[in-house]
Amino acid sequence: MKKLMLGTIVAIVPFGVINAKSFIKVETIDGAISILNNDSVKNITYEKAGKKGGVDVSGNSNSYDFVDLGLDDGTLWATCNVGATKPYEIGDYFAWGETEPKSEYTADNYKWVERVDGTLKYTKYNNDRSLGTFDAKFTLYPEDNAAYVNMGENWTMPSAREWIALSNACEWTWMDNYQGSGISGVLGTSKYNNNTIFLPAGGEIDDTKNPDLCSAGYFMEPSLEYTQIPHAAQFSKTRELTRGANGRRFTGRNVRAILNTDAVKDSSFFMVVNYKNGENVYFDSKDVKEVSIIKEHNEEIDGVTVTVNFGKNAYVDLGLPSGLKWATSNLGASNPKEVGSYFSWGETCAKDTFMRDNYKFFKDTQKGTFYTKYTYPVPEGMEKWVSWYDEKGNFIGDSLCILEHIDDAAYMNWGSNWRIPTIEEMNELIENCEWSLCYNADSSEVIGFEGKSIINNNKIYLPVSGYGYQGGKEWKSLGVYTTSSLNKDSAHEFFAALIGQAYKQDSMGHLTYLDSMEYKKRIMSRNSGFPIRPVYIDK
C-alpha cells in the first residue's frame, strides 16, 4: 500500500466516530467534487491498479479511468463511455460535433445546420458549397469533440485507425448480461497483456427511437469521410467490433474516449474508499486535492431543493417520516424539468416501443402465454394465465411482488444507493407535500407539478410525462410514475403513481386545464413504458 502525501488532506480516519449525518467530500485538482455517505464507509486505503466493474484499470486521468491494452502505438482507452461511471453503463448519446446529450436527435435540432428557404444547410464542417457554408473542415475541433469537452483536454475521440487497432488487438466475446447488469455488449481481452475492456450495446438514436438498444453498439469517430457522412465503429451479437457504420450527423451515438499518453504520469496507485457492503470507489491518488467531512446542506438549483449533490445525480431531503430521500431528477434526465427515459416495469434498458412481444418477462408458447418472473398467486376468479400453475391448478410461481435489484432500473443505472420507490413510498411523498401546477413560459400548458414539503419547506419537481404504449406516448397530460410494487390482485399489472393530470379533453377535443393536481394509485400494464423517479438509500 502507498500512503498519499498531500498536505491538504484532512482527517480521514477514523470515520466511524464522526456523526452519521455527514458526508465525505473528495475534491480533485481539476475541481471535480464527489460526495460519499460517511456512515457507509468502512475505511480509506491506497492500492495499486487492478480491476473495477469486471475490467482492468491501469490508471486515472481527470478522474476518469483508463486501461492499457498493450497496443503498439501506446493508446490508452477509457474504461467507460462518456457520461457513464461504470463500464457497463451506456452513458450519453451525442450527435456528431455536439457536446451535450439531448432528448431527441433530429435534423432540425442539429447544432450545425440552419434552414434556408425551407432547406437545411450546414453551417460548419462542410466541403460541398451546395450544402451550406463551405469551410473544408473534416475533423472536429476540440470545442466540438464530446470526449474533450466532457472529460478534459487530455481526452479525445479515437480515429478510424485507432478503432481498427483496438479491434485487431483483442479477442471479442458477446456478453448478454455483463456482470449481472442486464446490459449486453462485447468484452475485449487483449492479445498482448490479457487486460480487458467492455463496450456496452447502446444502439443509436434517430429522433427518439433506438431499435438496436442492447443488441448493437455504435461509437463515434471525430472525422467525416470524403462525403458528408460520419462513420463509426460498430458491433453486434453476430458481428465483432469493426469500423464503417454509416450514419447521419444528427444521429445520437455513444463516445468512448482515448487518452493522450503524454499526459500520463504516475497513475499506478489509487485512493480507495471501501464501503461496508464490500463496494469500492476509486480515485487516482495524484489527482486528489482534498478530502473533508461535510454536513448535509440545502440549496436551490433549477427551482428544486438539493440536499446532497453527487455530481450527475442529487437528492432532496423532504423531512419525510420514513427518512427516505428523493432524487431531484428522473432517470435519464439531465435536469429536474426533463421527463427522461421510459422503462417497462422490471426492465433496466430504456426503449421507445412498448409491446407485450418485446417485454423482457413475457413468453408465448404452445401451451399459452405467461410471465416468466414476478408471478403472484391471484385471487379466485381472476385470470390464471398470468401466473404459474401446474396441471392440477397448484401455484408454482415465484411469489415476488417487489422488484429485485437486478430488475430495478434505478439501481442498475445509477448504482446501489438508488432504487425505484414502492407505492407506499410514493404515497408518503404525495401526502407530505403541498402541490401546485407549473405552466410553460406563456402559461398555456401545464408541464409539471411542484411539491413543497409540509415538514421542512424543501421542494421537489415532477414533470408531466405520459407513458409509452405500443409505438408512441399516450396521455401526455398525465404525470404518471413507476413504482416497484406489483399488483397482487392481477399479476400482469403493477401499481403506478398518477401524480396529477394537467388537463382534461372532451369528445370535441376541447381542453380544460385543471387548477389542482389529483393523485391516485393507478394499475398499469407491465409492458407499458413509464418514467422513473429514484429514491436514495443510505447503506
Side-chain angles (χ1 to χ4, degrees):
M1 297 296 175
K2 177 181 178 182
K3 293 186 178 180
L4 185 62
M5 304 301 292
L6 286 176
T8 52
I9 296 292
V10 299
I12 58 176
V13 200
F15 289 102
V17 301
I18 300 174
N19 190 305
K21 291 290 289 183
S22 62
F23 295 84
I24 301 170
K25 176 183 176 182
V26 181
E27 183 177 1
T28 55
I29 293 172
D30 63 358
I33 293 175
S34 296
I35 306 295
L36 310 172
N37 184 0
N38 172 54
D39 192 42
S40 304
V41 173
K42 179 181 178 181
N43 56 28
I44 289 182
T45 58
Y46 298 90
E47 298 179 0
K48 288 187 176 182
K51 282 188 177 289
K52 289 169 59 177
V55 300
D56 291 282
V57 175
S58 304
N60 184 287
S61 179
N62 290 6
S63 300
Y64 298 101
D65 294 336
F66 63 82
V67 60
D68 181 359
L69 297 164
L71 300 174
D72 291 337
D73 62 1
T75 301
L76 303 172
W77 285 78
T79 60
C80 301
N81 288 351
V82 175
T85 58
K86 297 180 178 65
Y88 58 77
E89 290 179 349
I90 293 170
D92 293 327
Y93 296 84
F94 301 91
W96 191 86
E98 295 186 357
T99 59
E100 296 181 359
K102 302 184 290 191
S103 57
E104 294 182 332
Y105 294 82
T106 65
D108 279 306
N109 73 4
Y110 179 54
K111 182 176 182 179
W112 302 118
V113 296
E114 63 180 358
R115 191 171 288 279
V116 179
D117 297 329
T119 301
L120 289 175
K121 299 288 188 180
Y122 290 118
T123 60
K124 194 174 183 180
Y125 301 109
N126 177 38
N127 61 347
D128 186 335
R129 298 181 188 278
S130 68
L131 297 178
T133 302
F134 179 82
D135 57 15
K137 295 175 182 177
F138 291 87
T139 300
L140 292 174
Y141 282 22
E143 63 266 25
D144 303 321
N145 186 309
Y148 181 97
V149 171
N150 287 276
M151 296 176 65
E153 62 181 1
N154 295 330
W155 297 91
T156 189
M157 290 184 200
S159 66
R161 178 185 61 80
E162 287 155 340
W163 275 111
I164 293 171
L166 175 66
S167 176
N168 293 334
C170 295
E171 297 287 349
W172 297 95
T173 304
W174 177 265
M175 311 291 285
D176 274 321
N177 183 19
Y178 180 70
Q179 292 282 302
S181 66
I183 303 298
S184 302
V186 288
L187 180 70
T189 302
S190 171
K191 300 173 185 177
Y192 304 111
N193 61 12
N194 288 322
N195 281 349
T196 54
I197 187 170
F198 180 75
L199 302 175
E204 59 182 357
I205 303 178
D206 277 318
D207 197 350
T208 60
K209 296 179 173 57
N210 191 350
D212 291 334
L213 182 63
C214 289
S215 63
Y218 302 89
F219 288 86
M220 195 178 300
E221 295 176 6
S223 299
L224 292 171
E225 290 297 306
Y226 49 86
T227 63
Q228 301 295 320
I229 299 173
H231 279 209
Q234 67 175 10
F235 66 84
S236 68
K237 189 171 185 177
T238 58
R239 176 188 292 179
E240 289 192 354
L241 179 66
T242 185
R243 186 214 165 243
N246 292 334
R248 295 174 289 191
R249 293 198 202 181
F250 63 81
T251 298
R253 288 173 168 168
N254 295 130
V255 172
R256 177 62 65 94
I258 57 174
L259 181 63
N260 174 9
T261 54
D262 293 336
V264 180
K265 299 177 182 177
D266 178 15
S267 297
S268 59
F269 285 86
F270 291 95
M271 184 184 86
V272 186
V273 180
N274 301 284
Y275 279 102
K276 293 176 182 177
N277 68 352
E279 294 184 358
N280 301 317
V281 176
Y282 292 75
F283 298 90
D284 192 297
S285 60
K286 71 178 180 60
D287 289 337
V288 176
K289 177 182 178 182
E290 183 176 12
V291 181
S292 57
I293 302 298
I294 64 170
K295 301 288 186 180
E296 287 187 338
H297 67 285
N298 293 310
E299 60 179 316
E300 192 162 303
I301 302 175
D302 293 330
V304 302
T305 307
V306 175
T307 303
V308 173
N309 195 330
F310 297 92
K312 193 170 183 180
N313 306 317
Y315 72 66
V316 56
D317 183 357
L318 297 163
L320 301 177
S322 68
L324 193 67
K325 316 295 196 304
W326 283 78
T328 57
S329 298
N330 288 352
L331 192 60
S334 59
N335 62 68
K337 302 300 190 293
E338 287 185 358
V339 174
S341 303
Y342 291 75
F343 298 82
S344 291
W345 193 81
E347 294 188 353
T348 57
C349 283
K351 58 185 183 182
D352 298 300
T353 303
F354 303 91
M355 309 287 289
R356 184 178 289 171
D357 290 342
N358 73 353
Y359 178 55
K360 179 178 180 180
F361 298 120
F362 185 79
K363 189 173 183 180
D364 194 348
T365 69
Q366 291 181 344
K367 294 182 179 180
T369 55
F370 61 91
Y371 289 94
T372 60
K373 192 174 182 181
Y374 301 103
T375 55
Y376 202 83
V378 297
E380 264 325 300
M382 299 293 290
E383 295 179 282
K384 290 190 174 182
W385 67 271
V386 298
S387 298
W388 287 343
Y389 289 83
D390 62 19
E391 295 179 354
K392 296 181 180 180
N394 299 313
F395 178 73
I396 55 173
D398 53 32
S399 295
L400 295 173
C401 57
I402 296 292
L403 288 175
E404 293 186 319
H405 287 327
I406 195 171
D407 304 316
D408 186 312
Y411 183 98
M412 297 305 296
N413 286 276
W414 279 12
S416 58
N417 278 108
W418 302 91
R419 63 169 171 80
I420 299 173
T422 65
I423 188 63
E424 292 78 15
E425 291 165 342
M426 188 66 78
N427 291 344
E428 181 190 51
L429 170 69
I430 301 304
E431 292 169 358
N432 285 279
C433 289
E434 294 178 350
W435 295 89
S436 57
L437 299 179
C438 299
Y439 290 83
N440 61 5
D442 60 6
S443 301
S444 64
E445 183 180 5
V446 174
I447 57 175
F449 309 92
E450 181 184 272
K452 185 176 182 180
S453 170
I454 61 176
I455 302 170
N456 63 11
N457 291 324
N458 285 346
K459 294 188 294 184
I460 190 171
Y461 180 90
L462 297 170
V464 167
S465 58
Y467 60 91
Y469 180 70
Q470 294 185 356
K473 305 295 189 300
E474 303 285 343
W475 290 96
K476 295 183 179 180
S477 66
L478 302 179
V480 57
Y481 284 79
T482 294
T483 78
S484 61
S485 304
L486 187 72
N487 175 20
K488 295 180 181 179
D489 292 335
S490 179
H492 67 287
E493 297 171 320
F494 75 99
F495 286 123
L498 178 59
I499 304 302
Q501 183 167 339
Y503 54 80
K504 293 181 179 179
Q505 184 172 357
D506 61 24
S507 59
M508 301 298 292
H510 299 136
L511 302 181
T512 302
Y513 289 93
L514 307 180
D515 57 6
S516 63
M517 62 167 283
E518 301 174 349
Y519 171 71
K520 61 181 178 181
K521 182 169 63 177
R522 185 159 180 167
I523 299 172
M524 305 297 294
S525 172
R526 287 165 59 170
N527 58 272
S528 296
F530 298 87
I532 292 172
R533 178 58 63 93
V535 292
Y536 180 85
I537 308 301
D538 288 329
K539 295 182 182 179

